[in-house]
Amino acid sequence: MTKIFLRNSRRLLTAVAAIAAVASGALAQTSVTAPAPAVAPPASATPLTLGDAARLAARQSALAQGARLRADEAGARVRERKADLLPTVSSYVQEAGRTFNTSTLGIDFPATPGNPPLFDPQGQVEGPINTLDIRGRVQQNLLDFGAIGRVRSAQAQARSSSADADATAEQAANIATSAYIRAMRADADLRARQADTRLATELLSIAQSQLQAGTGVGLDVTRAKAQLAATRAALITSRNARDHAHLDLLRSLALPLGTDVLLADSLSTATDAGPLPDEAALIAQAMQNRPDLLAEEERIRAAKQGLSAIKAERLPTLGLVADDGVIGKNGAKLLGTYTWGLQVTLPIFDGFKREARVQEQQSVVKEAEIRRRDLEQQAQADVRGALIDLSGAREQLDAATERLSLAEQEVAQARDRFNAGVAGNADVVNASLALTASRTLVNDAETAYQLARVALARATGSVTTLR
């Protein structure tokens, strides 16, 4: 009984000494330093939520700005087409002189008997004849169905370009939200590796304290050092990945690369535990709001309007041409003259060129309609796929959270046994490895949930309305 009492007393004293060493933070006989704490964001950092990133990218990213400029170009083409319906006014001043060969007049001037001919029958040069002509000219299409059709076609194409700009802005927002989620994941991974490194440092401290007290072995210290080295290497890798993720986020938002951005959201944001949205309602919302579907509808209208414009070229046109001015040999004596006329033009045959253009435009219309049907099916598949991913991510997150809780309990129990001196640190190291894997699984599940949430918003055309 005395030996048992002495042995239990020695274990108790050893455990107390180890706990006291951990509490005081004494790391005797080692040059290992604790990991640096997470760097606090600068005071000038700009808070940025997931929804803010989506709206900022839709407004100022290079993709969105380029699409809006293309819409402006289409609007300018509308004004260009309207010019065919507006009067054309021009003026000119011409001073000229010319000579001519009388034999080219095509008129014979008979001479009276006994008199020489007025002009040499072989031809002679006359002139020069000098003229000064000052004139203004107006030309106006009074009725041109083809020009009217081209204006309407250009207007439809402008609306299509505007819808394309909205679709491109939504695409830019989707890219930015994906970059934001990658940045959140990188931050979460960095925090997890920092926690792993703190745990490894604590275990090394315990192992060294036990070795000093004579109750530990050198193998435990070596094993703890190896574990700490591995976690610090993973920490460095995570920190580099975090920096790259934040760089990609700034790039997707078209922000200067030196901008300090503070992510206001995180992967650990509470998930919505309520029922999943109704699939039929989401599909109806997608058909009504998705910018790519709306853009395709406008392209179909533009193609049909272009077809009508080509067919309208078969109709006659009515135009007015008029000019007014003065003309004379020089500026000393100028007389007023004018010309005006109404012109009706009826296209009859152009070598079947117009028929070929009609056939070509009909194919463009059919192609756009096929794309619209395919996009509608794709929208339905996107909504259903996003709901499947969202449901699976919830279940995966629940399972990963439960595993993380058990892994934390396993580490606590193994550490207690190690502190009490009843076991080596092999169990603690194995438990810490399982804890690291569990933290990674939780990050994976939370990332999958956030990506599914964004995918559902993209499927319904509401990425820019995310919060």
Side-chain angles (χ1 to χ4, degrees):
M1 293 294 293
T2 302
K3 293 181 179 179
I4 296 174
F5 175 76
L6 292 175
R7 185 167 59 252
N8 290 338
S9 300
R10 186 175 58 185
R11 289 180 176 176
L12 180 60
L13 292 174
T14 301
V16 172
I19 295 172
V22 173
S24 61
L27 300 179
Q29 298 180 353
T30 181
S31 60
V32 178
T33 58
V39 179
S44 60
T46 303
L48 187 71
T49 65
L50 180 66
D52 292 338
R55 287 180 285 276
L56 186 61
R59 184 172 62 252
Q60 69 178 31
S61 68
L63 282 176
Q65 290 183 358
R68 282 192 289 271
L69 288 176
R70 288 191 291 274
D72 292 341
E73 294 170 5
R77 285 192 289 271
V78 174
R79 294 190 294 273
E80 180 182 347
R81 289 301 185 186
K82 286 182 177 179
D84 294 339
L85 301 176
L86 299 177
T88 301
V89 181
S90 61
S91 64
Y92 68 88
V93 176
Q94 175 180 303
E95 184 174 7
R98 62 183 294 264
T99 60
F100 61 93
N101 185 347
T102 57
S103 64
T104 63
L105 295 178
I107 301 176
D108 293 330
F109 294 93
T112 58
N115 293 320
L118 181 61
F119 298 115
D120 185 353
Q122 301 299 320
Q124 68 184 63
V125 174
E126 293 292 335
I129 299 176
N130 298 317
T131 58
L132 176 61
D133 193 354
I134 303 174
R135 196 160 302 277
R137 179 181 177 87
V138 177
Q139 184 172 354
Q140 171 68 57
N141 284 331
L142 299 179
L143 185 61
D144 191 337
F145 295 102
I148 295 173
R150 287 189 293 271
V151 171
R152 293 175 177 173
S153 176
Q155 290 172 338
Q157 290 173 1
R159 291 190 296 268
S160 174
S161 295
S162 180
D164 281 335
D166 294 338
T168 303
E170 188 84 358
Q171 179 185 359
N174 186 54
I175 294 173
T177 51
S178 298
Y180 191 97
I181 292 175
R182 289 195 298 270
M184 289 195 299
R185 168 61 187 268
D187 287 347
D189 283 342
L190 180 60
R191 289 191 295 270
R193 301 295 81 80
Q194 288 172 340
D196 294 340
T197 307
R198 285 193 296 270
L199 176 59
T201 303
E202 180 182 352
L203 295 179
L204 176 58
S205 174
I206 295 174
Q208 290 173 335
S209 298
Q210 290 183 349
L211 182 62
Q212 272 190 317
T215 59
V217 295
L219 179 59
D220 289 342
V221 176
T222 302
R223 188 182 291 121
K225 286 183 177 180
Q227 177 66 13
L228 178 59
T231 57
R232 293 173 71 182
L235 176 63
I236 294 172
T237 301
S238 296
R239 186 169 59 245
N240 290 341
R242 189 274 312 270
D243 293 340
H244 279 286
H246 280 256
L247 188 63
D248 292 340
L249 176 60
L250 293 177
R251 187 70 183 87
S252 66
L253 298 176
L255 291 174
L257 298 184
T259 304
D260 294 323
V261 173
L262 173 62
L263 302 187
D265 296 332
S266 65
L267 287 180
S268 58
T269 302
T271 59
D272 183 10
L276 292 176
D278 180 65
E279 180 180 335
L282 291 177
I283 290 177
Q285 180 183 352
M287 296 302 174
Q288 183 178 0
N289 296 337
R290 275 186 60 144
D292 53 350
L293 277 174
L294 298 178
E296 199 60 47
E297 287 287 348
E298 291 297 338
R299 276 192 286 270
I300 291 175
R301 294 191 186 96
K304 290 181 176 179
Q305 191 60 57
L307 178 62
S308 299
I310 296 174
K311 291 180 177 179
E313 294 177 2
R314 298 169 175 168
L315 302 175
T317 62
L318 175 65
L320 169 66
V321 178
D323 67 58
D324 187 47
V326 292
I327 189 172
K329 296 182 64 176
N330 51 53
K333 185 173 178 60
L334 297 174
L335 299 178
T337 60
Y338 66 88
T339 303
W340 69 270
L342 288 174
Q343 177 177 327
V344 177
T345 303
L346 178 62
I348 298 176
F349 181 71
D350 62 351
F352 301 108
K353 179 180 179 180
R354 190 175 299 106
E355 282 69 20
R357 291 170 57 204
V358 168
Q359 184 179 1
E360 178 185 4
Q361 194 65 21
Q362 287 173 341
S363 298
V364 172
V365 173
K366 292 178 181 179
E367 182 183 359
E369 291 174 343
I370 291 174
R371 284 198 305 267
R372 180 189 59 187
R373 289 195 298 269
D374 183 66
L375 278 176
E376 290 175 350
Q377 294 179 353
Q378 184 63 50
Q380 297 176 14
D382 289 344
V383 170
R384 179 168 297 183
L387 288 175
I388 292 173
D389 292 340
L390 194 62
S391 176
R394 286 182 177 181
E395 297 176 359
Q396 183 182 7
L397 183 57
D398 292 339
T401 302
E402 182 180 2
R403 176 174 175 176
L404 177 60
S405 178
L406 295 174
E408 290 173 345
Q409 294 179 20
E410 183 182 357
V411 169
Q413 293 170 358
R415 184 167 52 187
D416 291 341
R417 287 172 54 83
F418 181 46
N419 288 339
V422 297
N425 68 346
D427 292 342
V428 183
V429 170
N430 291 334
S432 65
L433 291 176
L435 179 59
T436 298
S438 298
R439 287 169 174 161
T440 301
L441 286 178
V442 170
N443 289 342
D444 289 341
E446 290 176 342
T447 301
Y449 177 80
Q450 296 291 346
L451 289 175
R453 189 166 72 95
V454 171
L456 183 59
R458 182 187 62 80
T460 56
S462 58
V463 175
T464 55
T465 62
L466 284 171
R467 295 184 178 180

